[in-house]
Amino acid sequence: MTEILTPVETTQPAGSTSTTARPVRSRFRPHPADVAAVVFYVGLAAFVLARQWKHLGTGYLVRSGQDQTMWEWFFAVAARSLVHLENPLSSDLQNYPLGVNLMGNTAMFGISIPLAPVTLLFGPNVTFTLALTLGLSGTAIAWYWVFSRHVVSSRLAAAVGGGLCGFAPALISHTNGHPNFVALFLLPFIALAVIRLGSGARPVRDGIVLGLLIAYQIFLGEEPLLIYALAFTVFGIAYAASRPRTAFAAVRHSIKGFAVAGGVALAVAAVPLWWQFFGPDSYRAIEHGPVGNDTESFTSFPTSSLAGEPGSAEFSMNATEENAYFGWPLLILLGLSALWLWRMLLARAAAATVGVMGVLSLGTSLTIGGWDTGIPLPWKLISHLPLLESVLESRFAMGCLPAAALLLTLGTDRALASAREGQRTTTLLWVGWLVVALLPLTPTPLAVVQRDAAPNFFADGTWRDYVTDGSVVTVPLPSPENARMLRWQTEQDLAFPIAGGYFVGPAGSEQRGKYGPDDRPTALLLASAQSSGQVPVIDDATRAQALTDLKFWNADVLVLPHTQNDRVLRETVRQLVGAPAKPVDGVWLWDVRWLHHP
């Protein structure tokens, strides 16, 4: 594979007399086409998030569920840790007093720390929106750069590939609430650095570069790194199968460089990784159950696209997990491209990668149109392995994207070369079907709603009259289903801790990962009262447990904002603490500081 780094590989099959390769110009000198590509990608990213940019501070990506609130909290806590010189890897501002292992969550320090000034000046909502915008455009630009400098001579062809990598349906879907699966701009350079090691020319320098890239990607997102590393491994094996001697020599030459890279990456990330897997509030793994892609999710169109509409992505787990949804025209084009370009080694390896990663994303058994056939699939053999057991298998479809983009890039470059040779019919057929394949997938602006304002009790700072050195316990407690308290806390500069929250932490004696806290009995009781709409039977033991839990949370105040079945919740808490609630600035309140300050 090291020849990918030499002057741009011709896109003609072996034996062709045409030469479309051109010497690579200065890799750092902007070309008008480069400028046009960057402007287009940034403009498209801004278009996708236009409604969010229009309503900064009040806009909320409606399909994010509670994820946008969680991410803004992560960004706010990271900025606060810098200002107060606190450990950024952990925080007890939610899930008080146990706290949260932020390395064990998607805290994304690679974005939250550099953009901390933005968070402090303009708020975490701006940081969140900026991270998504830069993630989409940056990923497209990065792949465009690699394709145009190392794969094809046509910048237009490279732009097609870069656009698919940066604005594929999966990335648009994750833009609703998962910036760690949007900011993938380091991955093409990691792949490039791995290939460079195969030459053995500068193992120390190239190893240091690779190590630094890997370390930084760890702070951007470990799961994307794992998925794309697996995809690149599949690509490398497929490539090596055709050129085993070259592959063996490349592996031998890269040993020293990989050792250097591993040492550098560990030197940078060893302590954070130890904290993640062995530090306070760490957990072993998190199980999601079977969440493989339905085969029809590959042929369907995504929600936020010209061909999509609400409900069109019916086979996804939720609106942020439309990890396939290539659409049937693009799948046909990819298949035809693989056949047309089969004599090209890069195309064969890319086709194999699309196939393998696509099959892995189907999960443990084959599902067709919602019907589980029971036919076992390869993922079942490896799903229990460390690290892999925590991955949502449907996300492996994202590993298809660079390979699919490579096929489109190579195909477009060859089609344009055909026009120069007088074969205009081939060019027109390719361009026509390319439009048919990509136009339906063109992303549309993501849906945004206006946030509800915080109760005056928090917005006006009234809480300061009731919170001393303890925590705020909302009724019911914050959870992955309702995390609005995290936003109210953030708007008050994280000046008080809260019990409960939305994060991933350990639960049970086996310390398995769980979304939200390891619920105490009173938290479960309040959640049950809200969902059932009935006041539970409360006896002396229940009241004693409630007081024990309030002492554990070091609660200063119980706060009931307007919510579903709030009358039932008010009566439930009245019976638990033996006192009626007091209305204060838009909430019902129980002052329980007497529990730890008699």
Side-chain angles (χ1 to χ4, degrees):
M1 279 185 288
T2 54
E3 69 248 31
I4 298 177
L5 302 180
T6 59
V8 179
E9 178 180 323
T10 177
T11 57
Q12 297 296 321
S16 172
T17 58
S18 174
T19 56
T20 62
R22 300 174 185 172
V24 178
R25 299 180 183 179
S26 173
R27 295 174 183 173
F28 302 101
R29 182 182 304 168
H31 185 279
D34 299 337
V35 176
V38 170
V39 171
F40 175 76
Y41 293 145
V42 173
L44 184 55
F47 172 74
V48 170
L49 290 155
R51 294 168 181 167
Q52 184 71 5
W53 279 111
K54 183 179 179 180
H55 300 287
L56 279 179
T58 61
Y60 194 88
L61 293 166
V62 64
R63 296 192 182 103
S64 74
Q66 302 297 307
D67 288 347
Q68 180 175 338
T69 298
M70 178 191 69
W71 277 101
E72 290 176 0
W73 189 88
F74 286 152
F75 291 149
V77 168
R80 184 182 188 273
S81 68
L82 291 181
V83 173
H84 295 275
L85 300 179
E86 297 172 344
N87 177 12
L89 305 179
S90 183
S91 174
D92 63 358
L93 287 169
Q94 64 169 309
N95 194 35
Y96 189 82
L98 297 178
V100 178
N101 186 324
L102 294 176
M103 267 303 293
N105 284 262
T106 50
M108 211 175 179
F109 296 115
I111 290 289
S112 62
I113 298 298
L115 293 184
V118 175
T119 304
L120 296 170
L121 290 173
F122 304 106
N125 179 267
V126 176
T127 304
F128 175 76
T129 308
L130 182 61
L132 292 172
T133 306
L134 295 178
L136 285 174
S137 57
T139 301
I141 292 168
W143 280 106
Y144 164 79
W145 185 272
V146 171
F147 288 149
S148 64
R149 267 57 181 177
H150 302 290
V151 180
V152 294
S153 60
S154 167
R155 283 179 166 82
L156 178 58
V160 171
L164 181 62
C165 287
F167 296 92
L171 273 79
I172 300 301
S173 171
H174 283 288
T175 300
N176 282 292
H178 300 156
N180 59 320
F181 273 96
V182 176
L184 308 178
F185 44 79
L186 287 187
L187 296 175
F189 297 112
I190 291 175
L192 206 57
V194 170
I195 294 173
R196 280 201 176 105
L197 287 182
S199 69
R202 297 178 177 178
V204 175
R205 188 204 68 172
D206 293 340
I208 291 174
V209 170
L210 177 59
L212 291 175
L213 288 172
I214 292 174
Y216 199 85
Q217 180 60 44
I218 288 173
F219 298 121
L220 287 176
E222 296 170 66
E223 191 173 348
L225 177 61
L226 176 63
I227 292 171
Y228 279 78
L230 181 58
F232 190 69
T233 299
V234 173
F235 183 91
I237 292 173
Y239 193 101
S242 297
R243 295 186 180 177
R245 292 184 179 179
T246 302
F248 179 78
V251 170
R252 181 166 48 85
H253 292 153
S254 64
I255 292 176
K256 181 177 180 180
F258 274 119
V260 173
V264 171
L266 282 177
V268 176
V271 172
L273 288 175
W274 177 90
W275 192 279
Q276 174 180 348
F277 292 105
F278 305 104
D281 307 306
S282 58
Y283 55 92
R284 296 181 180 178
I286 183 167
E287 296 180 358
H288 300 93
V291 287
N293 285 319
D294 191 299
T295 54
E296 290 197 16
S297 69
F298 281 88
T299 59
S300 302
F301 295 106
T303 301
S304 298
S305 67
L306 288 182
E309 57 185 8
S312 63
E314 59 180 307
F315 300 110
S316 62
M317 186 171 67
N318 56 54
T320 61
E321 295 291 344
E322 296 175 9
N323 295 308
Y325 295 91
F326 288 78
W328 60 265
L330 178 57
L331 285 183
I332 292 176
L333 180 60
L334 291 175
L336 294 176
S337 301
L339 293 175
W340 187 38
L341 306 172
W342 190 252
R343 295 181 65 186
M344 296 178 59
L345 185 50
L346 286 179
R348 293 201 299 274
T353 304
V354 171
V356 172
M357 297 305 293
V359 170
L360 286 178
S361 79
L362 297 177
T364 56
S365 63
L366 182 65
T367 302
I368 303 174
W371 172 54
D372 188 349
T373 65
I375 299 174
L377 294 174
W379 173 246
K380 189 173 184 178
L381 301 176
I382 61 174
S383 60
H384 64 283
L385 296 178
L387 299 181
L388 292 179
E389 62 183 340
S390 297
V391 176
L392 291 173
E393 56 264 37
S394 68
R395 292 176 176 173
F396 283 118
M398 298 184 70
C400 300
L401 294 178
L406 179 58
L407 282 173
L408 295 190
T409 299
L410 293 171
T412 303
D413 191 59
R414 182 172 175 181
L416 295 176
S418 297
R420 292 192 294 270
E421 297 169 359
Q423 301 175 13
R424 298 185 181 276
T425 302
T426 300
T427 305
L428 290 175
L429 286 173
W430 174 268
V431 172
W433 196 257
L434 187 66
V435 172
V436 170
L438 297 183
L439 186 61
L441 301 179
T442 302
T444 55
L446 299 181
V448 170
V449 295
Q450 294 295 303
R451 305 176 194 244
D452 293 332
N456 291 337
F457 178 78
F458 293 108
D460 296 342
T462 308
W463 63 269
R464 297 181 187 278
D465 298 331
Y466 297 91
V467 180
T468 51
D469 58 352
S471 71
V472 173
V473 178
T474 55
V475 180
L477 275 71
S479 67
E481 293 74 33
N482 186 354
R484 58 181 178 169
M485 185 59 213
L486 273 68
R487 175 168 58 87
W488 300 343
Q489 180 197 35
T490 299
E491 291 173 351
Q492 293 299 306
D493 297 326
L494 302 166
F496 55 84
I498 60 175
Y502 181 18
F503 59 95
V504 181
S509 58
E510 295 184 358
Q511 299 294 288
R512 303 291 292 184
K514 174 183 180 292
Y515 289 100
D518 194 1
D519 295 305
R520 297 185 68 84
T522 303
L524 295 173
L525 180 75
L526 294 175
S528 175
Q530 183 184 44
S531 61
S532 68
Q534 297 181 351
V535 177
V537 176
I538 296 175
D539 53 20
D540 290 342
T542 308
R543 278 187 285 270
Q545 181 64 59
L547 295 181
T548 298
D549 290 340
L550 290 172
K551 289 179 180 179
F552 173 81
W553 292 319
N554 194 28
D556 276 348
V557 64
L558 279 160
V559 177
L560 172 59
H562 177 66
T563 187
Q564 179 186 10
N565 293 326
D566 47 10
R567 291 185 179 181
V568 171
L569 289 168
R570 192 184 348 153
E571 176 60 21
T572 301
V573 177
R574 184 193 70 79
Q575 294 188 33
L576 288 174
V577 302
K582 180 171 69 170
V584 179
D585 281 357
V587 301
W588 293 97
L589 183 142
W590 292 265
D591 188 341
V592 293
R593 284 176 288 183
W594 53 269
L595 285 171
H596 44 271
H597 294 298

